[in-house]
Amino acid sequence: MSYLPLEKVVVLDLTRHRAGPVTSRLLGDFGATVIKIDAPTDLGDSMGGSREGFDYQNLHRNKMSLSLNLKTDEGRAVFYDLVRKADVVLENFRPEVKHRLGVDYETISEVNPRIVYGSISGFGQTGPYRTRPAVDQTIQGMSGLMSVTGFPGQPPVRAGAAVADISAGMVLSQGVLMALYHREKTGEGQWVHTSLLESLVSMLDFQVVRYLDSGESPRAVGNDHPTLMPTGLFPTADGHVNIAAAEELKFKALCEALEIPELVSDPLYADTALRSENRTALCDILARRTRVYSSEELQRKLDAAGIPCGQLYTIGQMMEDAQMQSLRMADEGQHPHLGAVPLLGQPLHLEGCGGRPPVRFTAPDHGEHTDQILSEWLGMARSDIQAFRERGII
C-alpha cells in the first residue's frame, strides 16, 4: 500500500476479548499507531489464546504493546501523558471498572478535550442491563438472531462466527472514523459508543422491521429466505447449491433452465407471496430437478441463465477457490520467532491509497514496546524505566 490513510492517528487500546480488538485491528491495519495497554502480569488474553497462537496473531497484528499497571498512581500518570499525545482511546470495561481506574470519558476528556473515546459494552451505556457481562453467544440469543437461525421445530442455532463481537467492532470503528472527521471540522472530541446487542440487532435489519411493522416475531425457516421464494439451498448429485430466483424474471429463467416451464403458469406460484406460501411444494419440485446435475454443472447452467447461485463450500474450499485466490485475502506476516504467520486480510480496498493494507508487523509480545514508548514518546530515563519495572508499574 503506497499510503496508509490513518498513519498519523494514535490509538490507546484498553480493550480485551474480541469486539474491541477488532476495532483497533482495523484502525491499525490502515496505518494508525495502536498501543495495546497490557497489565504487567497479563501474559495472554482471554480471546486468542497464546500470544503465538493463530487467533491472537490475527486479532492483534499491527499493534504495539505497552506493559502498564493502571491500578497505580504512577501507571495512570503515564497513561494520561500518552492521552495528551493520542487521538483515540478504546475501552470495553464495565462502568464501575473504568471509573475506578480513572479511564472513563469524563476523566480522559479533561486530560485531552480533543480525544475520541470509543466504548463497546455488552448491552449499552444505559438501561437495566448496562452493568451485565456479555459474550458473543449470549447476545446472539438475546438479540433474536438464534430464534431465526435453524430449522422449524428444531432447537435454535448460533451463527458459526462471532457475529456479535465482529459487528460491534466494525460499528465502533465506523463511529471512531466519523468522530475523527467531526474533529477535523470542529476541533472537538467526543464519546462514541456501541454495544454487542445494538450492533447485532442492527445486523438483523429487515427481520426486526418485519416485527415493528406487523407485531409478529419472525421464525426460523431453515435455509429458505424468510419471505422471498424460491431462495434457498438445493441438493445436487454431489452436494448443494444456493439459488436465489424470487423475482418474476429470475423465477421464469430458473424454470426454463431446469426444464420445468409449466411452473411459471401454475397458479400456486403466480407471485412472490404465493411462492412463499407454497414454498414446501415448490422446493420439492425444484429439488427433483437440481438433483439431476452435479454442483458444478448446475452452477454453470444457472450462471448462463443469469440466476444468482453458488455452491456450498467448506471454508477450505472457499480459500482455495479461484475467486478467493484472485482477491488474495489470505495474507501473512513475518514473526521474529515463528516465521511466516498466516493471517486474514482486510476486505476493504482503497485504490487511491494502493489497495488492500499490508501487514506491517505481527502481534507483539507482552510489553514488547514498553521501553521504546516510555523513552521515545515520554522522554523517560532508562533508570526510571527500570525503577518502574522493579515496582510493578510496568
Side-chain angles (χ1 to χ4, degrees), residues 1 3 5 15 25 36 38 62 67 94 134 149 156 162 165 169 182 196 206 219 244 267 276 279 313 321 334 346 360:
M1 200 170 197
Y3 167 69
T15 65
R25 177 179 65 187
K36 185 179 184 296
D38 289 318
N62 291 332
S67 170
R94 296 192 307 277
T149 305
D165 284 337
H182 171 81
L196 273 64
F206 76 92
R219 302 293 183 183
S276 182
R279 64 176 60 206
Y313 281 165
D321 185 85
Q334 291 298 319
Q346 284 287 350
R360 292 174 288 137

Side-chain angles (χ1 to χ4, degrees), residues 5 78 84 177 235 246 252 300:
V78 168
R84 295 182 180 95
L177 294 174
K252 180 180 179 181
R300 289 198 301 267

Side-chain angles (χ1 to χ4, degrees), residues 32 93 97 121 133 140 143 145 175 180 186 191 204 208 210 237 250 254-255 265 275-276 296 316 332 362 364 374 376:
F93 292 121
V97 174
S121 61
Q140 286 199 33
S143 68
L145 174 63
L180 288 171
T186 67
W191 186 18
L204 283 163
V208 177
R210 285 178 68 196
K250 292 289 192 297
L254 176 65
C255 293
S265 57
R275 291 194 290 273
S276 182
E296 186 66 33
E332 68 177 26
T362 52
L374 295 182
E376 295 181 7

